[in-house]
Amino acid sequence: MTKSNNNKKIVFVKDWGAYLRVKNGLITCYLNKEEKWSVSPFEISSIVVLTNCLVSSEVIRLAGEFGIDLVFFKGIKPVSKIIPVNYGGSFNVWVHQLIAWKKRKVEFAKQFIYGKLHNQWITLRYYERKYGISLSSENIYQLSRDVLTESSIEGVMQKEAEGARWYWKGIKNLLPKELKFKGRRKRGEAKDLFNVSLNIGYSMLSRVVYSAIISAGLNPYWGFLHKMRSGRPSLVFDLMEEFRSPFVDRKLLGIAREDPKSLEDKKTVYGIKFEEEEIYTQARKLANAVLTGEEYKPFLSK
Amino acid sequence: MTLFYVIFYDITEDNVRNKISDYLKKKGLTRVQYSVFIGDLNSSRVKEIEAGLRLIKRKEKSNGRFSILIVPVTETQFKQRIVISNEVEEKNEDIIW
């Protein structure tokens, strides 16, 4: 079972028509009959396939055996993931998750958004203190307090939306003008470089959160905050909320402020590193809160 | 709990030597010299690698020299290594793109 990503590599297959197979126990990538790279399954934590290529069944088997995350993207969105048979779902956790979903929806939703708002506040506050400017972060702080007194999912979502307005305004002020960032755009509407980078970052984050949720024994499709829709891993979206700002926004913001052009290099964007250990720990905390009835405490960045 | 291990070998016969180096690569160790590998291993993986190397030795029944050393060092010690070389030590990239 993979857990931490301690100095393991992540592999991206981005060349159209690449061929992945196993040779002498090593996962090897060929491009036009030439060997492009070759790695031991011990060395890697994930294989992310970004384009059309061939993958031999032996590679899929090895990935399962070594707990390597094997994901296929279409565009910048993960569309499928190979999950080993013995890897996930604990019956006891699922039963309690269903009970929690019936009885404690708002309680969990509040905590996810409290974590999200708190971490957004921390991100903006960092720059406010660093440069002695104001980005209205105190509004977000206030909302993070208010959200805890909400009594409905709608109320929680409203606070989230209000926070987002302040937050992205702040981010816009921190970004170099040449990026022409007008505000946050969702997938499909994102045309400017920073929004596209954010979308890629969130995709990569969702990949890790999904794995963490599975390994904690939770069911990724039963969310508390996000509505259930067939085939949508709502719980992944729930747990992602608290990590978006500290793990993706903050890193991309750093890169963008230093050298906006470098966001054009997709390797930089796909390659931003997450503290995976933190995500796995948080997923276990969530499973624990679901099981024991204790209060869930979100990930609060510093 | 993992330690750094340095594995040296001295083997006369080409095919046996290749088997050993292929095996070490397969187990995720990094080649630092022609006959020296390093890796960050926990105790169970060391045992597994030791058993695998012994198995190759038994199967090949080589008549020439066959000697392998597996030496543990702490990470601190490993960081203090001195490298005198005309090759730039390659940066350990954590992305294969």
Side-chain angles (χ1 to χ4, degrees):
Chain A
M1 195 76 54
T2 57
K3 217 171 59 62
S4 82
N5 185 7
N6 57 20
N7 50 37
K8 286 199 175 185
K9 295 184 170 76
I10 172 168
V11 175
F12 291 94
V13 182
K14 64 158 199 337
D15 301 290
W16 195 91
Y19 173 36
L20 258 58
R21 57 171 283 224
V22 176
K23 190 178 147 215
N24 307 330
L26 301 174
I27 296 175
T28 309
C29 173
Y30 292 90
L31 190 59
N32 309 328
K33 299 208 165 64
E34 273 190 24
E35 192 177 301
K36 195 166 183 258
W37 48 258
S38 181
V39 289
S40 157
F42 281 106
E43 285 179 87
I44 53 177
S45 66
S46 333
I47 301 174
V48 181
V49 178
L50 300 173
T51 177
N52 289 350
C53 72
L54 293 157
V55 180
S56 90
S57 57
E58 191 67 358
V59 171
I60 296 173
R61 202 186 54 73
L62 266 192
E65 195 181 320
F66 284 85
I68 297 166
D69 186 28
L70 176 53
V71 203
F72 297 85
F73 275 55
K74 186 176 196 305
I76 56 175
K77 207 175 136 191
V79 288
S80 72
K81 189 182 183 87
I82 306 283
I83 295 174
V85 174
N86 57 3
Y87 188 174
S90 117
F91 184 71
N92 198 14
V93 175
W94 281 22
V95 169
H96 281 86
Q97 192 181 343
L98 205 50
I99 297 168
W101 178 79
K102 274 193 125 59
K103 294 185 175 159
R104 300 167 62 197
K105 241 199 229 119
V106 179
E107 178 196 330
F108 280 101
K110 274 202 292 210
Q111 291 298 335
F112 292 133
I113 297 305
Y114 167 65
K116 177 180 187 167
L117 290 164
H118 175 278
N119 294 343
Q120 287 181 334
W121 165 62
I122 294 279
T123 298
L124 292 185
R125 198 189 55 167
Y126 165 80
Y127 285 100
E128 285 181 334
R129 288 186 173 179
K130 191 170 170 184
Y131 299 106
I133 49 177
S134 165
L135 299 162
S136 320
S137 74
E138 65 285 353
N139 294 330
I140 301 178
Y141 175 78
Q142 193 49 51
L143 286 164
S144 76
R145 296 278 141 206
D146 294 348
V147 84
L148 295 172
T149 59
E150 285 293 339
S151 54
S152 71
I153 297 280
E154 291 68 31
V156 171
M157 288 181 107
Q158 204 176 341
K159 290 282 178 288
E160 178 193 16
E162 267 177 72
R165 272 201 296 278
W166 290 113
Y167 178 70
W168 292 112
K169 215 183 210 156
I171 297 289
K172 186 178 151 188
N173 287 328
L174 288 168
L175 283 170
K177 292 284 170 280
E178 62 189 272
L179 282 168
K180 296 192 175 62
F181 180 82
K182 301 217 166 36
R184 174 78 186 118
R185 300 279 178 275
K186 290 265 154 49
R187 243 186 229 133
E189 310 157 18
K191 295 283 180 280
D192 63 286
L193 191 54
F194 195 70
N195 268 309
V196 171
S197 304
L198 284 172
N199 289 339
I200 291 174
Y202 296 150
S203 285
M204 295 303 285
L205 176 63
S206 75
R207 180 184 75 79
V208 178
V209 173
Y210 194 115
S211 298
I213 283 177
I214 294 251
S215 84
L218 290 155
N219 182 321
Y221 297 92
W222 295 333
F224 298 102
L225 168 72
H226 290 84
K227 278 214 168 56
M228 309 261 265
R229 215 186 292 148
S230 179
R232 182 167 83 167
S234 303
L235 190 68
V236 175
F237 292 120
D238 285 2
L239 187 58
M240 260 176 79
E241 295 296 358
E242 53 204 71
F243 294 111
R244 284 173 191 262
S245 184
F247 285 14
V248 178
D249 305 357
R250 218 178 287 181
K251 285 179 181 146
L252 289 172
L253 192 58
I255 295 170
R257 287 174 57 87
E258 203 169 307
D259 176 16
K261 282 255 177 306
S262 63
L263 288 176
E264 283 166 21
D265 180 6
K266 289 287 168 273
K267 182 182 173 181
T268 307
V269 181
Y270 275 103
I272 55 172
K273 278 178 75 165
F274 303 126
E275 292 76 356
E276 293 194 12
E277 199 52 47
E278 300 275 16
I279 299 176
Y280 275 79
T281 304
Q282 208 50 41
R284 283 193 293 272
K285 282 185 184 168
L286 179 58
N288 203 30
V290 163
L291 267 177
T292 59
E294 284 168 23
E295 190 191 17
Y296 171 68
K297 292 196 174 61
F299 171 80
L300 302 176
S301 60
K302 290 179 182 63
Chain B
M1 177 57 202
T2 60
L3 271 172
F4 274 84
Y5 285 85
V6 186
I7 302 184
F8 310 80
Y9 53 82
D10 177 6
I11 298 166
T12 358
E13 286 181 36
D14 291 351
N15 64 338
V16 183
R17 199 172 49 244
N18 288 339
K19 278 214 168 69
I20 294 287
S21 69
D22 280 352
Y23 177 78
L24 292 171
K25 258 190 253 168
K26 180 171 115 184
K27 289 294 175 199
L29 290 122
T30 315
R31 194 170 210 153
V32 286
Q33 278 178 14
Y34 265 97
S35 54
V36 182
F37 280 79
I38 55 165
D40 188 7
L41 310 169
N42 60 24
S43 59
S44 68
R45 279 188 62 200
V46 177
K47 284 198 186 86
E48 185 190 356
I49 286 167
E50 182 195 344
L53 294 171
R54 285 189 191 281
L55 192 68
I56 296 173
K57 175 177 179 290
R58 263 211 308 280
K59 268 172 75 179
E60 297 302 325
K61 294 192 182 63
S62 118
N63 304 321
R65 272 198 316 281
F66 185 104
S67 146
I68 300 178
L69 284 178
I70 303 178
V71 183
V73 288
T74 64
E75 192 174 355
T76 331
Q77 288 170 327
F78 186 75
K79 278 192 179 133
Q80 293 168 338
R81 74 190 180 282
I82 297 167
V83 180
I84 303 167
S85 150
N86 55 7
E87 287 164 30
V88 185
E89 254 198 290
E90 59 174 84
K91 268 212 323 279
N92 203 352
E93 275 254 336
D94 41 22
I95 297 173
I96 299 174
W97 181 253

